[in-house]
Amino acid sequence: MLLFFALGLLVHFVFFASIFDIYFTSPLVHGMTPQFTPLPPPARRLVLFVADGLRADALYELDENGNSRAPFIRNIIMHEGSWGISHTRVPTESRPGHVALIAGFYEDVSAVAKGWKENPVEFDSLFNESKYTWSWGSPDILPMFAKGASGDHVYTYSYDSKRQDFGAHDATKLDTWVFDNVKDFFHHARNNQSLLSKINEEKIVFFLHLLGIDTNGHAHRPSSRDYKDNIKKVDDGVKEIVSMFNHFYGNDGKTTFIFTSDHGMTDWGSHGAGHPSETLTPLVTWGAGIKYPQRVSAQQFDDAFLKEWRLENWKRLDVNQGILPVDYLNNTDLFKAESIFTNAVQILEQFKVKMTQKKEATLPFLFTPFKSLSDSKEFDILRKARSYIKHRKFDEAVSLCKELIHLALKGLSYYHTYDRFFLGINIAIGFVGWISYASLLIIKSHSNLIRSVSKEVKKPSHLLPCSFIAIGILVAFFLLIQACPWTYYVYCLLPVPIWYAVLREFQVIQDLVASLLTYPLSHFVGYLLVFTLGTEVLVLSFFYRYMLTIGLTAFAAWPFLTQLWTRAKVTSLSWTFFSLLLAVFPLMPVVGRKPDISLVMGAGLLVLLLSLYVVTSLTKRKDSFTKEELLVHLLQVLSTVLSMYVVYSTQSSLLRKQGLPLRNQIISWATLASSLIVPLLSSPALFQRLFSILLSLMSTYLLLSTGYEALFPLVLSCLMFVWINIEQETLQQSGVSCKQKLTSIQFSYNTDITQFRQLCLDDIRRAFFLVFFLVTAFFGTGNIASINSFDLASVYCFLTVFSPFMMGSLMMWKILIPFVLVMCAFEAVQFTTQLSSKSLFLIVLVISDIMALHFFFLVKDYGSWLDIGTSISHYVIVMSMTIFLVFLNGLAQLLTTRKLRLCGKPKSHLM
């Protein structure tokens, strides 16, 4: 069985990794011939301002007094330049946003594993193609463009990363630092002949990365005065820098200015997903080669922004990355036509290289070219476009080049996803095979379903293994002659041994069919429908959180549909009450959008009252509570009090903009470090150990909470305690003997393996309950499939200086705490119902894999970026849940069964 779990982990890791090869491969193409516009550029230099985290509406809208927060930028829109909305895409994070702006392509998703800081693949950029680039700003953004540059011509000036503090007194200092250093740089250049000659060259870029708005948005929300005032300060700084540039270069009219943002931000201060507040960013540009404002009487857009911003009379020009926005250019029609022609040839060159690469790696009779853009068609379009330019039919040339760009981009996408269907089919075949094998193993080793069917021991045939070896060789040879990557071998060959293992159990399959034929058809169909409906509810809950409420409401009615109500009224009513109470949470707003520290304090107070009740009850029982165990509980109560103090104190300090107090930080980290150790000091008695685990984890959860979610683990744990009791009742109802009193059960009791019983139909219900509770633990207080559901304020008791991995790890632990509580309760259910953890775990594995197969087919690469990202996230979450289940099951066993002693003192019972 240990071998099975090891193989299971390996198989699930392959299924998990496959999604990155199928959907998350790098879009970069190498080996193209450089293309240049034959006409001279209108500008000698570019000044790029990127206001990190700036929403389009926050810049363009007027305040409550009818005034602009950015009067200088608004004046540019009305009198000097062009403006619009830049449509970004997920993930709306700083690194991919800047790569799209500066390198002209959408970030390779493998950069997620490197925290958006390192370059997972080499790419070219505007900075690399410049003569010189000088950049100022965040140490998280600037180095990635300097690292990939050829030669020593990209210069970076960054502040210390510790300045990126969400609890800082004034985050606008990050932007002030940039503006002041740019001014000092030009002042120094006047007295440095070498530097002066460099900044007077052609093809130079000045990049100003402004992080203050993003920092204030995370710390105080975009609706805050801090965020809005930061926009005004940035506007003032941009005004000063523009004036300095014009003065320094003698108003030579050869400078182009661009002001934009890498991504926006939600109302609750997060970003990463595809909400319009995250994907709509401002774009304002002026100077050399840029059109002046265009007055219009009417504009056609699907939104009402123009009227809200009172900009309906100034032409709005929206852009997407990758295609030259010729409508922004103020130049001759010849220059525009030549520029878009060059842009089209550049993209076409990528298309041709991608097609050649795929054609060379595919057998000729299997290769299917992109029919919408054949060699003859691309040649014809290029010939016509060049002819139009020659005959000064520039509008026709631009239109034709845009058509060619559209077709080439579709062709690039076609070849980029060429193997997706092939790989997807192989993974699906492997999935179905694995689910079948796990199901057969459950039936064969852990149930009585086929015990009554006579079995003949047949001599094993060599035909089956020889057949699968031959299939494996053919598959490997097919991949070899196509020069496929090594990962393709894994995905295509994995189903071979899995299905061999399935067909080896042919006798079990025959016996299963024979057993099922003895069951009444109506019963079989009924059980199948209930199982299917339950699985679909689980799948739908990933899309609609209220499905969890529906499921929990059904759970609440369960005792009344069975004989449990007549046998255990108090337990049944408790189950119904806490199920309905837990059902409220999925109907609440996503965590972080409306923070309320008073609810966190209230949750802490409830924990203290519950602790007082439990300690009082236990001390009244003779020989049930030692002095050592009482001390442990008192320490946990003290930890809860300290957590409440830290939450309140930290909130007050941050509101006063005094940062995170050091003592609070020390207490927080100490509480987190001790949360998995202190429960091991408590009594191994079932309820005492589970309550100790709850107290320790709640202390940490309070520190990571900002609102009503602090109540969630408490209500969930109460339902888990009732679940343990109600399963005891169902066990007695089913006639299983040797029922122990829960108060007498200890986790450390060394259960004899002969006491384990075989699985029955009710155990499938228990496994389903576990999966449902795990999904509820994930989505009960938010949609973690969406990156913008994470609230950075959750980690402010631990750190406020920006650290992606540390903050991400803390938020992940917050998500896993309810998961651990459910797994510990499930460990108790297994223990009290005399079931092997392996047998129930196998059922859970099958249910999870069926859900994962659903999500694998629901992954899509069309529609909105929010839909695409969410569909992929769902699959990743279910696969991660299956993998983490193994490790968290081990953690639950450690927390429930291990016992540490303080200094080896003998027991001393309280009388």
Side-chain angles (χ1 to χ4, degrees), residues 690-695 697-698 701 712-714 716-717 720-721 723-724 774 777 816-827 892 895:
L690 289 178
F691 186 70
S692 179
I693 293 170
L694 171 63
L695 282 182
L697 294 181
M698 271 302 296
Y701 201 86
F712 179 72
L714 191 58
L716 179 65
S717 296
M720 293 299 98
F721 279 112
W723 184 29
I724 297 168
L774 290 175
L816 291 179
I817 284 175
F819 205 149
V820 173
L821 291 173
V822 173
M823 289 302 298
C824 288
F826 186 59
E827 186 72 20
L895 288 173

Side-chain angles (χ1 to χ4, degrees), residues 371-424:
K371 296 178 181 178
S372 299
L373 190 57
S374 61
D375 291 343
S376 59
K377 186 169 185 177
E378 67 181 57
F379 176 79
D380 186 53
I381 293 177
L382 287 174
R383 181 182 58 79
K384 283 184 179 179
R386 179 49 68 191
S387 175
Y388 283 145
I389 294 174
K390 184 178 180 181
H391 293 90
R392 306 188 67 79
K393 297 180 179 179
F394 300 122
D395 290 341
E396 291 87 342
V398 169
S399 177
L400 203 58
C401 288
K402 286 183 177 180
E403 179 189 350
L404 180 59
I405 289 173
H406 174 70
L407 290 173
L409 288 174
K410 283 184 67 177
L412 271 171
S413 176
Y414 172 80
Y415 288 118
H416 184 62
T417 60
Y418 190 85
D419 294 331
R420 183 172 293 178
F421 179 76
F422 169 70
L423 293 175

Side-chain angles (χ1 to χ4, degrees), residues 207-218:
F207 171 44
L208 285 72
H209 176 244
L210 308 168
L211 189 62
I213 293 174
D214 184 74
T215 305
N216 270 318
H218 285 307

Side-chain angles (χ1 to χ4, degrees), residues 522-547:
S522 58
H523 288 190
F524 174 74
V525 173
Y527 286 133
L528 186 62
L529 284 175
V530 170
F531 180 80
T532 303
L533 179 63
T535 304
E536 293 306 315
V537 168
L538 285 171
V539 171
L540 286 172
S541 66
F542 278 66
F543 298 95
Y544 312 103
R545 289 174 59 215
Y546 64 80
M547 294 302 297

